[in-house]
Amino acid sequence: MPVKILLIEDNPDHILLTKRILSKAGADYQIDVVSEARKGIDKIFQKDYDLVLCDYRLPDYSALDILKEIRGKGKDLPFVVITSSGSEKIAVEAMKEGAYDYVVKDLQYQDVLPVVIQRSLSRYEAKKDKERLERELRESNEKLRQMYEVKSNFTSMVSHELRTPLTAIKEGIAIVLDGIAGEINSEQREFLETAKRNVDRLNRLINDVLDFSKLESKKMVFKMYDCDINEIIREVVRVHKPVAEEKGIYLKAELDSQMPEIKVDPDRINQVLNNLITNAIKFTNSGGITVSASKDERQGAVTVCVEDTGEGIKQEDLPRLFQKFQQLTRHKGGTGLGLAICKEIVESHGGRIWVESELGKGSRFKFTLPLVRRYKVLVIDDEEIVLDICEDILRRGGYSILRTQEGRQGIRIAETDRPDLIMLDMRLKDTSGYEVIGHLRSKRETSSIPILAITGYREELERIESRKDELDLPWLSKPFERDEFLSKVRSLLTIERNNN
């Protein structure tokens, strides 16, 4: 099929020259010519052209005026500006308004024009392919989200439905064991106590599944208070000490008396410690367990350690230890969710958790909790000067900053460092901002990180606004004022904190 080109040009000599160049280019071009901008605009909307060649200066309009009008009305097609001089300013203005390329009427015009046309057509096809892939990715993400929601709701429903009969069974067993329903012999008591232990175990399994489902879907509510971490540790140790002593091992706390208060959900940190200490008791047959807490000023965090003298863990098992549904050789029953839940809780507090262990030499489970929450902002922009400006403003505002000029590198940083906010330029050299958003929102670990679009292109802002319901993407226009910049950042972080 011929390539349909609209040439908007008022100089007859240039019209003739352009036609001659394209006729010799070896491609099948079908060229329509108009000499006035208004007629050109009408033609663009009346006929499906593959590309527009437009002189920069016309009697009634400039090429930029034409571009603004057709882009404002949603018309997107390759648009090449022809200039009489190689003005860089004209080229920049044209590209900002949405031109695909520009070409200068000079001695190289004959050789350059066919190349520019083919390059613009290729860019347009690549853009359409990318938009199609982004659309398909969004549709796939939406389907995955719906499937995940169904799974989450099903898990919650089944778990809640199981709780009612379990409660009735547990209460019935307790009544019989207490002798309220009549005397029972020793053999009957033994069977009933076995049933009670299994009901308690099943109840714990259901609680684990429900907790992990809430954490995974970001629906768990954390009630944060200023707390004494030493007091939380003492309480958990006090509860578990009789169990450890019954097994013939010690359980003690070694705490720094100068520990500051930290903002945590005490019930959830209690849950983490309960899990770690219960595991330590289970896998320690001699010696004992020491729970310690220390302050790390350099890291700005409190480090809690549960150290045991137990059987230890194989090195090859360590990387899988905090993954969900992992049943390692060290485990004895359970859902395989306990440590995965600990990881989610600690990371939701802005900390991290890890293990140091060697088979036969015990284990040290450690986790950190930040002393003061310092929000982390990732800035992805291909302009070094923009990164420098953002870093200066953010550091002065009390934020820590991660930065990169590449979209794909930004995705990797987001996955590993889990920033609290991402500031994203929508036009990057290696990929588009929309592709970055698609990747981030398709993965559970980055899907809830708020994203602030930053762009200097008006058509990008219009595109974001026109897809507001679909993208739900706040934006900031370049160049930005410092106060507006910080206000937008604070607002997004406040919304995210309240959601969590």
Side-chain angles (χ1 to χ4, degrees):
M1 289 179 65
V3 177
K4 291 175 285 187
I5 295 177
L6 175 63
L7 174 60
I8 308 175
E9 173 66 78
D10 65 331
N11 187 317
D13 292 336
H14 288 157
I15 292 172
L16 188 62
L17 175 62
T18 300
K19 282 187 169 183
R20 186 181 300 124
I21 291 170
L22 295 182
S23 68
K24 293 180 179 180
D28 186 5
Y29 294 119
Q30 179 183 309
I31 305 169
D32 290 346
V33 180
V34 293
S35 58
E36 296 176 16
R38 176 46 58 191
K39 289 182 179 178
I41 292 170
D42 292 341
K43 276 273 191 181
I44 288 171
F45 286 96
Q46 289 167 3
K47 191 173 178 180
D48 289 330
Y49 289 102
D50 297 306
L51 181 135
V52 175
L53 290 172
C54 184
D55 187 25
Y56 180 73
R57 298 191 186 280
L58 295 161
D60 49 346
Y61 270 36
S62 74
L64 298 185
D65 294 324
I66 297 173
L67 263 171
K68 288 177 184 177
E69 183 164 337
I70 65 172
R71 295 292 189 244
K73 292 179 179 179
K75 189 71 173 180
D76 181 25
L77 78 167
F79 194 104
V80 178
V81 177
I82 304 172
T83 69
S84 297
S85 62
S87 168
E88 187 175 331
K89 182 181 178 183
I90 291 174
V92 170
E93 288 177 346
M95 301 301 274
K96 278 187 176 180
E97 292 299 336
Y100 275 63
D101 215 328
Y102 79 103
V103 61
V104 182
K105 297 174 188 173
D106 57 12
L107 295 176
Q108 283 78 43
Y109 184 58
Q110 181 171 336
D111 297 324
V112 172
L113 181 60
V115 174
V116 168
I117 289 174
Q118 289 303 317
R119 186 168 62 200
S120 297
L121 291 170
S122 297
R123 280 187 59 199
Y124 180 72
E125 287 302 315
K127 179 183 176 184
K128 288 299 176 187
D129 286 343
K130 185 169 67 175
E131 288 176 351
R132 176 181 56 80
L133 291 171
E134 288 173 351
R135 185 173 60 255
E136 291 174 357
L137 179 61
R138 286 193 301 272
E139 290 170 355
S140 297
N141 289 342
E142 179 58 23
K143 288 178 182 176
L144 286 172
R145 188 195 65 78
Q146 291 174 359
M147 290 170 63
Y148 180 81
E149 191 69 24
V150 169
K151 183 214 77 169
S152 181
N153 290 338
F154 177 77
T155 301
S156 181
M157 182 270 292
V158 169
S159 299
H160 282 294
E161 288 297 318
L162 283 171
R163 274 181 163 176
T164 301
L166 273 177
T167 302
I169 293 168
K170 183 177 180 180
E171 187 62 27
I173 292 172
I175 288 170
V176 177
L177 280 172
D178 290 343
I180 297 172
E183 291 295 323
I184 57 173
N185 60 41
S186 59
E187 188 176 1
Q188 289 169 332
R189 179 173 295 279
E190 184 179 343
F191 281 118
L192 285 169
E193 286 176 346
T194 300
K196 181 179 181 297
R197 285 194 298 272
N198 279 281
V199 168
D200 289 340
R201 177 173 172 272
L202 185 54
N203 201 43
R204 288 194 299 272
L205 296 181
I206 291 171
N207 288 336
D208 280 353
V209 171
L210 275 176
D211 280 347
F212 191 79
S213 179
K214 286 180 183 177
L215 285 162
E216 196 175 38
S217 61
K218 306 297 181 183
K219 291 180 179 178
M220 179 170 281
V221 177
F222 288 89
K223 298 177 181 178
M224 310 293 278
Y225 303 103
D226 289 328
C227 298
D228 181 350
I229 187 66
N230 285 351
E231 191 56 41
I232 295 174
I233 292 171
R234 288 191 194 99
E235 175 61 21
V236 179
V237 168
R238 184 187 65 78
V239 170
H240 288 275
K241 198 165 189 176
V243 180
E245 290 175 345
E246 186 178 342
K247 195 176 179 181
I249 58 177
Y250 64 81
L251 173 59
K252 63 182 180 178
E254 293 181 354
L255 306 172
D256 182 347
S257 60
Q258 302 300 314
M259 294 289 281
E261 286 192 336
I262 55 175
K263 190 176 287 293
V264 296
D265 182 328
D267 291 335
R268 295 303 168 189
I269 299 304
N270 189 297
Q271 184 178 353
V272 171
L273 286 165
N274 267 314
N275 188 289
L276 296 180
I277 292 173
T278 298
N279 280 349
I281 292 172
K282 188 186 299 184
F283 300 108
T284 303
N285 296 316
S286 62
I289 299 135
T290 303
V291 185
S292 61
S294 59
K295 181 173 61 175
D296 188 336
E297 293 284 4
R298 187 174 59 85
Q299 295 291 334
V302 167
T303 301
V304 179
C305 176
V306 177
E307 182 175 6
D308 66 59
T309 59
E311 59 193 57
I313 307 167
K314 293 179 181 178
Q315 291 299 304
E316 59 266 29
D317 286 338
L318 293 179
R320 298 187 293 126
L321 201 60
F322 294 97
Q323 296 175 15
K324 60 183 177 181
F325 303 120
Q326 290 298 316
Q327 294 286 351
L328 307 183
T329 53
R330 156 185 170 97
H331 282 262
K332 301 176 182 178
T335 58
L337 286 176
L339 291 176
I341 290 170
C342 290
K343 181 175 184 290
E344 291 286 342
I345 290 173
V346 169
E347 290 183 352
S348 294
H349 279 74
R352 66 187 186 96
I353 187 168
W354 70 100
V355 61
E356 300 165 358
S357 185
E358 188 176 342
L359 194 63
K361 295 186 178 180
S363 304
R364 290 177 301 280
F365 281 84
K366 296 182 178 182
F367 63 91
T368 62
L369 297 167
L371 287 169
V372 178
R373 181 73 184 273
R374 193 178 185 197
Y375 289 104
K376 231 179 340 185
V377 180
L378 167 61
V379 184
I380 307 173
D381 196 296
D382 55 13
E383 295 292 338
E384 189 76 28
I385 188 169
V386 174
L387 291 175
D388 290 340
I389 291 169
C390 289
E391 179 165 3
D392 180 66
I393 294 174
L394 288 166
R395 288 204 186 282
R396 288 173 184 270
Y399 302 95
S400 61
I401 183 172
L402 304 164
R403 53 186 280 179
T404 179
Q405 291 179 271
E406 298 179 357
R408 294 186 180 90
Q409 177 68 13
I411 292 169
R412 290 192 288 272
I413 293 172
E415 290 173 351
T416 55
D417 289 270
R418 305 280 185 88
D420 300 290
L421 173 68
I422 296 171
M423 300 184 68
L424 174 65
D425 185 17
M426 300 310 291
R427 294 191 180 184
L428 300 164
K429 290 177 181 175
D430 65 327
T431 184
S432 79
Y434 300 99
E435 186 176 344
V436 174
I437 291 169
H439 276 284
L440 293 173
R441 289 185 173 173
S442 68
K443 296 193 174 181
R444 185 182 63 81
E445 59 267 30
T446 56
S447 62
S448 62
I449 300 174
I451 298 171
L452 174 62
I454 51 175
T455 183
Y457 294 95
R458 191 177 66 182
E459 61 266 31
E460 286 296 347
L461 296 178
E462 291 171 350
R463 185 179 181 187
I464 291 168
E465 282 296 301
S466 68
R467 298 168 61 185
K468 192 172 182 178
D469 293 339
E470 173 193 344
L471 288 173
D472 189 26
L473 189 64
W475 54 266
L476 194 63
S477 177
K478 299 177 188 175
F480 29 69
E481 296 292 332
R482 181 180 182 277
D483 290 343
E484 181 190 15
F485 180 104
L486 287 175
S487 175
K488 185 74 77 169
V489 169
R490 290 191 198 103
S491 174
L492 289 170
L493 289 172
T494 300
I495 292 169
E496 176 66 10
R497 185 169 63 247
N498 289 341
N499 287 341
N500 287 336

